[in-house]
Every structure is written in C-alpha cells, then in structure tokens.
C-alpha cells in the first residue's frame, strides 16, 4: 500500500513539472482544448502603411505535429470630423464626431512554414522571428483648416446635405449679438444701428441691446437681416483668420492574431494585438 501511495505521488509531481515548463503561455494564449499553444510579441503598437510589422513567436503542441502558422487581421477605419463657425459670440457652434467601422473582416495575410530546426530546448517551444505586410493604401489622410475651400471635398467627407443642415441649425441658435458680429465681420453691413434697440435692465443696471420690438413685445429678426443671412455661402460661415474651420481625418487600425495549425488542421491562436497604422 505504501509503495502504491509513493508511486502516485511521483506521478503527480512529474505531471506538475511537465506543466510548469510552459509557464510563458499561461495568461497570453487563447487555444482550443487540443490545438497548438502559441504566444507572440509584436515589434510596436504602431506600423507605417506600406511596411512590415515584425514579431516574435513561440509555440508548441503536446497532441499533434505542427504544420504551419498564419497571420490574420481585420481593418478598422476611424473618421474624425470637426466644423465650427467663428462669427457667433453668444455660444460656441461646433460639430465634432468620431466614428469607427470595420471596413474588412479578419482574413489571412501571410503563411509561415513550420521547421523542426527552430526548436528551443531552453524554452521547450518552437521560436522564430518574421513579419507581415501592411498595405500602403492604409495611410492616414487629413483635410485640416484648408486655405482654399472646396465644396466637392466638403460633400465627399461630410455628406451632400451637411452644409445646408449646418447653416440652418446655426441660424436657430443665433441672437442679436451674433447677427451683428456676423453682418459687420463679413462686411455685409457698414452700420447695424438701424436694426438696434435697447431695454434697460434694472437687475444688471445696464442696457440690453436687441432687435426692435413688434406689437407683441417680441424682438424678431428683421426680414432684411434674414435675407442677408440666407445669401451667405457656407464657406464664409466657417472662414477663420487662418483658413477654414473644418477638419476631416481618416485613420486605420487592425486587430491581428497568429494561428498555429497542426497536421490535423486544428489550430490555436495567440491573443489579439491592436495596431495603429500611420
């Protein structure tokens, strides 16, 4: 009985020792129950379009012979947009948006043959260094504060109806001071006095300037001012002191994994790596 107990302890210790020699995979691997195990490190979290991303990989299989490895990745496109009007003074009118979309699902990019010669006795795994290509068409693009406005680019990057929507939305928020600053700043009027009235505010002990009041005590925007506003082109609404206040930026990133296949066609994968493309 003692000999049987001693034998079982030895077998248990041997099993634990065999598991410990692959410690470097423990928290860095996603595998199936019987697929190869793999771990990789990439050279950087960023890569230039048109270049190669280098990586180091370690892998092994305790079930079947290794056949080959593959790098897979998807492509994610991110668009950042910003437009603002510098002529309003009572509020800040700016439209900013960031949108990310998967433009290409994950697919195989490159395959690497397996070689017995890359076995490492010290790591108890196969190791090699390689790279995978990144298309030159994935370079970032930016259209930022252009000195010359191009309406076709505005429609291409922001949509066909954006300029009209921006102008209409801006008008709903404008107050007397905004119209005055815009009309004078764009040299549409030389004098704003004919459209100006004032009311004394006892709370602030000062006069509040506004458009003339109608019979109901309201201060509507004069028809002449509305006509002038309607005649302003979109590009003049966003023209600043140093170019037009519009920005469009398109960038790409990827989520890459490495698959290791055995002779049965079963594969294990590394953890995914997010890589920005510049």
């Amino acid at each position: 009985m003692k000999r049987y107990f001693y034998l079982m302890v030895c077998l248990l210790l041997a099993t634990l020792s065999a598991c410990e020699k692959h410690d470097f995979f423990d928290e860095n691997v996603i595998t199936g129950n019987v697929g190869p195990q793999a771990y990789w490190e990439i050279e950087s979290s960023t890569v230039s379009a048109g270049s190669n991303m280098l990586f180091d990989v370690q892998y092994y299989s305790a079930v079947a012979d290794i056949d080959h490895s593959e790098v897979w990745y998807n492509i994610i496109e991110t668009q950042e947009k910003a437009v603002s009007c510098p002529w309003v003074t009572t509020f800040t009118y700016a439209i900013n948006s960031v949108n990310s979309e998967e433009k290409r699902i994950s697919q195989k990019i490159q395959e690497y043959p397996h070689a017995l010669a890359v076995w490492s006795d010290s790591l108890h795994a196969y190791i090699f260094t390689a790279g995978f290509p990144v298309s030159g068409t994935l370079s970032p693009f930016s259209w930022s504060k252009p000195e010359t406005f191009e309406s076709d680019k505005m429609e291409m990057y922001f949509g066909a109806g954006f300029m009209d929507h921006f102008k209409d939305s801006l008008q709903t928020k404008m107050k007397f001071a905004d119209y005055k600053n815009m009309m004078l700043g764009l040299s549409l009027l030389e004098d704003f006095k004919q459209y100006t009235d004032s009311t004394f505010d006892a709370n602030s002990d000062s006069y509040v300037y506004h458009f003339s009041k109608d019979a109901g005590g309201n201060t509507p925007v004069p028809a002449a001012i509305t006509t002038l506003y309607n005649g302003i082109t979109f590009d003049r609404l966003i023209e600043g002191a140093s170019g037009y206040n519009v920005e469009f930026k398109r960038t790409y990133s990827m989520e890459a994994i490495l698959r290791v296949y055995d002779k049965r066609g079963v594969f294990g994968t590394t953890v995914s790596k997010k890589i920005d493309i510049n």
Side-chain angles (χ1 to χ4, degrees):
M1 185 67 179
K2 290 183 178 180
R3 291 182 61 188
Y4 174 78
F5 176 79
Y6 177 78
L7 178 60
M8 292 300 293
V9 170
C10 290
L11 288 173
L12 177 60
L13 291 175
T15 301
L16 291 175
S17 176
C19 293
E20 289 173 357
K21 70 180 181 181
H22 299 299
D23 285 346
F24 63 90
F25 294 110
D26 286 351
E27 296 180 359
N28 297 283
V29 66
I30 303 173
T31 66
N33 291 330
V34 294
Q37 296 192 38
Y39 166 77
W40 73 338
E41 286 293 341
I42 57 175
E43 182 182 39
S44 172
S45 60
T46 62
V47 64
S48 297
S51 67
N52 279 346
M53 169 58 81
L54 298 179
F55 64 89
D56 296 308
V57 61
Q58 302 173 20
Y59 62 89
Y60 77 97
S61 175
V63 180
D65 291 337
I66 303 293
D67 186 72
H68 69 280
S69 304
E70 298 174 355
V71 166
W72 288 57
Y73 63 70
N74 66 352
I75 296 296
I76 301 166
E77 180 185 271
T78 298
Q79 293 187 5
E80 300 176 55
K81 304 177 184 181
V83 187
S84 62
C85 175
W87 300 109
V88 292
T89 60
T90 65
F91 64 101
T92 299
Y93 193 72
I95 294 179
N96 299 277
S97 67
V98 179
N99 180 61
S100 293
E101 179 184 0
E102 186 177 50
K103 302 298 288 188
R104 193 187 74 196
I105 63 173
S106 186
Q107 59 184 250
K108 185 173 77 170
I109 304 302
Q110 189 154 317
E111 184 173 317
Y112 310 87
H114 173 63
L116 296 176
V118 298
W119 174 260
S120 169
D121 286 330
S122 60
L123 295 175
H124 299 282
Y126 297 99
I127 62 172
F128 69 86
T129 298
F132 57 86
V134 179
S135 173
T137 63
L138 300 176
S139 297
F141 171 79
S142 178
W143 187 51
S144 178
K145 290 189 177 294
E147 295 183 0
T148 302
F149 182 78
E150 298 174 74
S151 59
D152 57 337
K153 286 188 177 180
M154 196 72 205
E155 291 186 3
M156 181 186 303
Y157 303 141
F158 289 80
F162 177 83
M163 291 185 281
D164 289 338
H165 173 72
F166 182 94
K167 184 177 178 179
D168 293 344
S169 299
L170 175 65
Q171 188 178 23
T172 63
K173 300 178 181 294
M174 289 176 63
K175 302 184 184 317
F176 171 84
D178 302 310
Y179 281 105
K180 180 179 179 180
N181 188 63
M182 182 178 290
M183 298 298 147
L184 297 178
L186 293 176
S187 300
L188 298 177
L189 289 172
E190 293 183 0
D191 192 349
F192 210 71
K193 290 181 181 179
Q194 60 181 311
Y195 303 106
T196 304
D197 200 351
S198 62
T199 301
F200 184 77
D201 182 9
N203 292 325
S204 62
D205 194 29
S206 62
Y207 284 92
V208 176
Y209 295 94
H210 49 76
F211 291 117
S212 299
K213 293 182 180 180
D214 59 16
N218 300 310
T219 58
V221 179
I225 297 298
T226 298
T227 299
L228 287 173
Y229 181 84
N230 290 339
I232 301 173
T233 57
F234 171 80
D235 58 305
R236 298 198 72 191
L237 287 177
I238 65 169
E239 187 175 6
S242 57
Y244 294 89
N245 292 353
V246 55
E247 293 184 68
F248 173 83
K249 185 179 181 182
R250 182 175 58 226
T251 56
Y252 294 96
S253 61
M254 67 174 70
E255 293 175 350
I257 62 170
L258 184 133
R259 295 181 177 185
V260 180
Y261 287 80
D262 63 26
K263 295 291 187 180
R264 304 167 302 165
V266 178
F267 67 88
T269 66
T270 62
V271 293
S272 174
K273 300 287 188 179
K274 184 181 183 302
I275 303 170
D276 295 318
I277 303 171
N278 57 27

